Amino acid sequence: MLRFRCALPLLLLVVPLSAQTPPKAESLKEWANRRQARHAYGVYLQNSKIGWFIHDFRPGKKNGKDVAVETEDFYIEIRREGVKTTTAIQTVTWYDLAGDGPVLGLEQTIRQGQREVKSTVERTDKGMRVTTTVGEEKTSRDLPASKKTLASQRQLEKWLAGMRKKGDTFESWNIALDIDDFNVQETVTWKARQKIAWGGVTTDVHDVEVRLQNVKFDAKILDDGQPLIGKIGGLLELKAEKESLAKKLDGQPVDLTFSSVVEVDKDLGDPENITYLRLEVKGFGDFKLPTSHRQKVSRKQGEDDVHIIELTRDARAKNETPLTREQRARFLRATNSIQSDAPAIRDLARKIAGEEKDAIRIAEKLQAWVHDNLRQTLGANATTALEVLKNKAGDCTEHTLLFVALARAAGLPAREVTGVAFVNVGKPAFGWHAWAQIHDGKQWVTVDPTWKQVYV
């Protein structure tokens, strides 16, 4: 099961809060004072409320210095195969009010049940230092300076106020703590100006699309930038509400296992017996599906909204696709979650691999150890490889996270892959799943430590 990742707060960072038309000579501090506001949103899945999001922006102090403080509170309550799961995430970001308004620091706390993960980001002379604490485990990593600034957010406000045409884009930077790259690019695309009924009043809005980390956020926003409604990944819906209403959750939590599956029109039987599969899929819109030697994607002739996906089992490709030096370094790099440089991870990888030199054989040994030593459960969420190793439990995301860390520690370039896999949950469907890939020097090879498979 693919764990829900916190794309919502990240996506909303690009949308400015309500504001009046800025004066020409407005300083960054004056702009931050004018922008202070608090907005609340209900979060819905298939018309059922599953959580809320609060965004607060106002002047403040940090170490006696005037700063702008942005606070985001996100709460979600769901079920997964009948097991209730609650996730609360608070992110506080401090911005300098001098220059371009760079990020001075950030604190993020993630709570899932009794589990807590705290990350702090502090500015240093060379960039940023990220420290992650899970229980008694603490890891730190030095990264380049954040490219996100208040100036870019102010520029976005001016961009929205200008004359726009369909397809105009605005690019800026954001922060992502859970991926290899600390700085991630964010793109806002203007689509149209519309009139919608909101609160019984006909309201002019901008129809925009925001893309961040391959996640699409379609939103209706006002001239001043305040979002009224939006949809994330075509699945989660966001609605502006009074805070008391936004935080009111009614009824039983939605079961994400069944509400997020992709149904198919026939039972495929035992997936082990399938060597080729052709699917006709609707609903991807303009999302670019990945292709490879085993996955081909095309549009159905005469039906632009239908994708044809042809899949085969993984095998040796006809043409080699070696990694560049930069790509190899990226997929060997330790991160805050993939702690491949931690002594416990390095020692375990060395012990499992032994004297083996062949990349595929090393991958087979590593995935077998992960499969055989982790208890499969939905109730052991973890965000770092060390935490997974300590718990020795989890679902497909935990299995994949630990495997990727072990593979990188063993010298194999590795990455996590997310998608769908065939399941039968009372009806034939594809459910969200996570697995891994290692590069053996010639091509990417699929490895699924949850199901103990190589060349899936």
Side-chain angles (χ1 to χ4, degrees):
M1 175 61 63
L2 175 65
R3 182 179 306 106
F4 177 79
R5 297 189 186 276
C6 187
L8 177 63
L10 288 172
L11 288 168
L12 285 176
L13 286 178
V14 304
V15 183
L17 302 169
S18 59
Q20 302 170 2
T21 303
K24 292 183 178 180
E26 187 178 43
S27 69
L28 200 58
K29 183 175 181 179
E30 290 169 337
W31 176 81
N33 287 333
R34 174 174 58 80
R35 276 205 37 186
Q36 60 180 308
R38 184 178 178 88
H39 295 289
Y41 303 87
V43 181
Y44 295 81
L45 175 64
Q46 297 182 348
N47 296 319
S48 296
K49 182 177 283 187
I50 61 171
W52 44 264
F53 177 76
I54 310 296
H55 187 277
D56 187 278
F57 184 90
R58 63 189 62 253
K61 295 279 188 180
K62 184 174 178 61
N63 300 326
K65 183 177 183 178
D66 287 336
V67 297
V69 185
E70 185 175 47
T71 304
E72 300 163 305
D73 285 292
F74 172 69
Y75 177 84
I76 190 171
E77 189 175 287
I78 59 173
R79 288 183 182 275
R80 297 169 63 194
E81 295 186 8
V83 179
K84 181 179 177 181
T85 301
T86 62
T87 301
I89 304 175
Q90 183 181 76
T91 306
V92 182
T93 307
W94 292 272
Y95 298 90
D96 199 338
L97 292 176
D100 288 338
V103 173
L104 292 173
L106 179 149
E107 287 186 2
Q108 183 182 82
T109 303
I110 303 175
R111 294 186 178 88
Q112 291 180 314
Q114 300 300 312
R115 173 178 168 272
E116 180 177 293
V117 179
K118 186 171 184 178
S119 299
T120 61
V121 179
E122 298 177 323
R123 197 170 186 88
T124 66
D125 293 339
K126 297 182 179 180
M128 312 296 281
R129 169 161 292 184
V130 183
T131 302
T132 302
T133 304
V134 183
E136 297 179 356
E137 296 284 350
K138 180 180 290 189
T139 58
S140 294
R141 200 166 309 282
D142 290 319
L143 296 171
S146 169
K147 296 180 180 180
K148 182 183 177 185
T149 65
L150 286 181
S152 66
Q153 297 185 49
R154 179 168 60 172
Q155 186 60 37
L156 174 60
E157 183 180 301
K158 295 178 181 178
W159 181 82
L160 288 169
M163 295 295 293
R164 302 267 65 86
K165 64 180 184 297
K166 185 176 180 180
D168 283 353
T169 60
F170 181 91
E171 294 186 344
S172 59
W173 293 93
N174 217 314
I175 296 173
L177 297 178
D178 62 341
I179 64 171
D180 293 357
D181 229 343
F182 180 70
N183 288 297
V184 291
Q185 197 163 49
E186 188 168 85
T187 303
V188 182
T189 302
W190 193 91
K191 294 192 289 186
R193 190 169 180 84
Q194 301 174 343
K195 292 183 181 293
I196 64 172
W198 191 261
V201 178
T202 300
T203 306
D204 291 322
V205 298
H206 296 277
D207 183 11
V208 300
E209 174 190 290
V210 182
R211 284 192 180 270
L212 177 70
Q213 294 179 245
N214 292 323
V215 177
K216 185 174 75 167
F217 176 43
D218 292 301
K220 312 291 186 185
I221 64 176
L222 298 175
D223 287 342
D224 58 18
Q226 179 185 346
L228 292 181
I229 192 169
K231 183 162 284 190
I232 300 170
L235 188 65
L236 292 179
E237 191 170 12
L238 184 78
K239 296 180 182 179
E241 298 174 343
K242 291 183 178 180
E243 188 167 335
S244 58
L245 176 60
K247 290 185 175 182
K248 186 178 181 181
L249 303 183
D250 299 318
Q252 291 294 319
V254 174
D255 197 311
L256 192 61
T257 306
F258 304 105
S259 61
S260 62
V261 298
V262 181
E263 295 184 37
V264 292
D265 58 357
K266 63 171 58 177
D267 193 335
L268 302 181
D270 186 355
E272 290 287 344
N273 298 326
I274 299 175
T275 58
Y276 172 83
L277 184 63
R278 183 181 186 275
L279 300 170
E280 291 189 6
V281 187
K282 292 183 178 181
F284 283 111
D286 61 350
F287 178 77
K288 188 175 182 180
L289 291 163
T291 60
S292 68
H293 65 283
R294 62 183 298 260
Q295 178 166 301
K296 297 180 180 180
V297 181
S298 60
R299 298 271 188 174
K300 187 174 182 179
Q301 189 173 3
E303 298 184 51
D304 289 341
D305 62 332
V306 178
H307 283 81
I308 296 175
I309 304 175
E310 295 180 89
L311 293 165
T312 59
R313 284 200 170 275
D314 199 5
R316 301 308 302 178
K318 292 181 180 180
N319 299 315
E320 295 183 3
T321 53
L323 298 178
T324 65
R325 181 180 298 179
E326 292 76 16
Q327 289 173 326
R328 179 175 173 80
R330 176 186 174 189
F331 294 114
L332 284 173
R333 186 183 304 140
T335 71
N336 284 334
S337 56
I338 306 172
Q339 300 146 316
S340 53
D341 58 351
I345 300 291
R346 290 203 311 265
D347 292 347
L348 179 58
R350 190 180 303 113
K351 179 180 178 181
I352 297 170
E355 299 300 319
E356 183 61 60
K357 302 299 181 184
D358 181 75
I360 300 299
R361 284 292 302 134
I362 293 174
E364 289 175 340
K365 287 187 172 186
L366 295 176
Q367 62 91 23
W369 190 95
V370 172
H371 176 275
D372 295 344
N373 288 274
L374 263 63
R375 177 173 58 89
Q376 295 199 12
T377 176
L378 296 173
N381 289 341
T383 54
T384 70
L386 284 173
E387 190 180 9
V388 179
L389 183 58
K390 180 181 178 180
N391 295 339
K392 287 190 171 60
D395 58 27
C396 59
T397 53
E398 283 76 28
H399 283 68
T400 301
L401 177 57
L402 180 56
F403 171 82
V404 170
L406 289 170
R408 291 187 182 188
L412 301 181
R415 63 187 181 185
E416 178 184 354
V417 179
T418 56
V420 293
F422 182 74
V423 293
N424 202 322
V425 286
K427 54 186 176 183
F430 282 83
W432 292 105
H433 187 53
W435 61 96
Q437 290 180 333
I438 63 102
H439 200 283
D440 66 354
K442 299 179 180 180
Q443 70 175 68
W444 286 107
V445 177
T446 52
V447 181
D448 193 326
T450 311
W451 294 341
K452 205 173 184 178
Q453 295 176 320
V454 178
Y455 287 115
V456 181

